[in-house]
Amino acid sequence: MLEVNHLKTQIETNEGIVKAVDGISFRVNAGETLGIVGESGSGKSVLAHSVMQLNPKPPTFYPEGEIIYKDRNLLTLSEKELRKIRGNEIAMIFQDPMSSLNPVFKVGAQLEEAILTHQKISKKEARKRAVELLQDVGIPDAAQRMQSYPHQFSGGMRQRVLIAIALAGNPKLLIADEPTTALDVTIQAQILDLLLGLQKKYGMAIILISHDLGVISQMADRVLVMYSGRVVEEGTVNDIFHRTAMPYTWSLLRSLPRIDGGHQRLIHIEGHPPNLLAPPKGCNFAPRCPFATETCLAVDPALSPRGEGHQAACVLTKEEFNEKKKEWEAVKMEGVR
């Protein structure tokens, strides 16, 4: 459905060029959920905005790459052509529903506007469709709530309204950028269940962006792990969570609390992500990696196979990585005793 090839997204600043997305390639298949995970500042949202061509130009530019959707490179399309794709073919849910909804217009008016923008129907039909969409996303008394303003909804209900607006054009691909970040855990679960149900009903593919590994493990079929503007590991959920092949992914998982973890200590990742104005030589993660060698400081590893459909960007082989993990665990457990 979507194919991104060697995409580079760069942002021109007063201090220099920020390589926010640095040579990323991936595919999204029809009906699947692709999870994208990584720390804040890893380039997840810039990547999502790049697919939709929502980054302001200038200062953003794309020196290399392709974003292929239905045999067309979105990077070569005019703004008029892109407007036919946004909403109708590819839609997006943003992080903060309160800042995404206009506070001075009723929810129904905003939803009707989205429907009329993407579908050639009458205002009466648009209103009927708006009520149906609000019902689909679980808004009770949908016809009455059409007259409400955004501030009269809770955070979870506002997020449901945003999902309804995203569905107004019957998109084939939905990009959800941290859709549950501002919500409490109970409402998060409801929104995630809602997305799964809507995906089955409408037959959509979903790109789900999150820094929450728990959300990704529940929702995704395949996962991209991003670090400093690059994909450092790609695989199925089982590959990423049970057959990790990259020290950064392993470090993220080590910092995730687990109910069945016993006396396992949570280990935070030392240091800070690199400055994307001047990234380090060699592996970008090497200055923070517990397994880094002299080779890591000199060689910039490309993604290489670790199994069928599983790739990782690390100079260590699978066997070397597993041995390093055992040695590290032994030292840490000795410290606990």
Side-chain angles (χ1 to χ4, degrees):
M1 176 170 288
L2 180 76
E3 184 176 351
V4 176
N5 297 316
H6 309 293
L7 179 66
K8 292 189 177 183
T9 304
Q10 300 184 357
I11 304 170
E12 191 170 359
T13 70
N14 293 332
E15 289 77 26
I17 302 298
V18 175
K19 298 178 180 179
V21 173
D22 193 9
I24 286 181
S25 299
F26 66 90
R27 292 183 177 185
V28 182
N29 299 314
E32 80 166 347
T33 299
L34 176 70
I36 301 180
V37 68
E39 293 172 280
S40 296
S42 61
K44 305 185 301 297
S45 292
V46 175
L47 177 60
H49 284 72
S50 296
V51 172
M52 294 284 286
Q53 292 295 282
L54 294 176
N55 296 311
K57 296 185 281 190
T60 306
F61 60 100
Y62 304 91
E64 293 181 30
E66 297 176 321
I67 303 171
I68 307 297
Y69 179 77
K70 290 188 174 179
D71 299 322
R72 304 174 76 190
N73 184 1
L74 302 188
L75 291 177
T76 65
L77 301 185
S78 66
E79 187 62 27
K80 183 178 180 180
E81 290 172 313
L82 285 169
R83 279 199 294 268
K84 295 178 182 179
I85 292 176
R86 296 189 191 116
N88 288 318
E89 300 284 345
I90 306 174
M92 190 165 182
I93 306 169
F94 298 94
Q95 293 186 28
D96 184 4
M98 195 59 189
S99 62
S100 299
L101 293 168
N102 193 320
V104 301
F105 289 100
K106 294 177 181 178
V107 161
Q110 296 184 59
L111 185 49
E112 286 176 34
E113 179 187 26
I115 294 169
L116 290 169
T117 298
H118 299 298
Q119 299 183 39
K120 294 180 179 180
I121 59 177
S122 67
K123 288 187 176 181
K124 183 178 180 180
E125 290 173 319
R127 180 172 180 79
K128 180 181 177 182
R129 178 59 179 152
V131 173
E132 290 174 352
L133 284 172
L134 289 182
Q135 291 172 339
D136 282 349
V137 298
I139 301 290
D141 302 319
Q144 288 73 30
R145 296 312 299 269
M146 290 272 288
Q147 302 302 312
S148 300
Y149 290 91
H151 72 272
Q152 294 174 306
F153 285 80
S154 67
M157 299 292 266
R158 285 194 291 266
Q159 193 62 279
R160 291 172 186 267
V161 171
L162 274 190
I163 295 171
I165 291 175
L167 296 176
N170 299 318
K172 305 298 183 295
L173 173 62
L174 180 65
I175 301 175
D177 185 7
E178 303 273 9
T180 60
T181 297
L183 307 176
D184 63 54
V185 176
T186 303
I187 304 302
Q188 275 188 20
Q190 293 177 10
I191 295 298
L192 295 175
D193 286 342
L194 172 64
L195 286 175
L196 286 173
L198 293 171
Q199 182 180 33
K200 293 177 181 178
K201 179 174 181 176
Y202 289 95
M204 299 180 299
I206 295 177
I207 296 177
L208 178 63
I209 298 169
S210 180
H211 63 271
D212 189 326
L213 291 165
V215 168
I216 294 296
S217 68
Q218 293 176 48
M219 295 286 291
D221 300 305
R222 292 187 302 114
V223 183
L224 300 182
V225 181
M226 287 188 65
Y227 183 74
S228 66
R230 298 182 177 184
V231 172
V232 294
E233 188 164 3
E234 176 184 3
T236 65
V237 168
N238 281 334
D239 288 333
I240 299 301
F241 285 85
H242 302 293
R243 293 186 289 272
T244 308
M246 204 283 171
Y248 175 64
T249 311
W250 178 77
S251 298
L252 286 179
L253 293 171
R254 285 290 307 183
S255 63
L256 180 69
R258 292 179 55 178
I259 295 175
D260 61 347
H263 297 292
Q264 184 183 48
R265 297 177 64 185
L266 296 180
I267 308 297
H268 69 278
I269 304 176
E270 301 284 351
H272 302 280
N275 180 2
L276 295 182
L277 286 165
K281 294 181 179 180
C283 175
N284 283 353
F285 186 59
R288 307 174 70 191
C289 181
F291 309 141
T293 65
E294 291 297 324
T295 302
C296 301
L297 299 174
V299 175
D300 185 8
L303 286 169
S304 58
R306 295 296 194 272
E308 185 177 352
H310 186 194
Q311 300 183 89
C314 185
V315 299
L316 297 175
T317 65
K318 181 179 179 180
E319 292 73 20
E320 290 171 337
F321 179 57
N322 288 334
E323 189 61 33
K324 291 276 188 183
K325 285 193 296 184
K326 289 179 182 178
E327 293 173 2
W328 188 91
E329 292 283 358
V331 171
K332 286 295 179 182
M333 289 306 296
E334 186 64 31
V336 170
R337 295 192 190 96

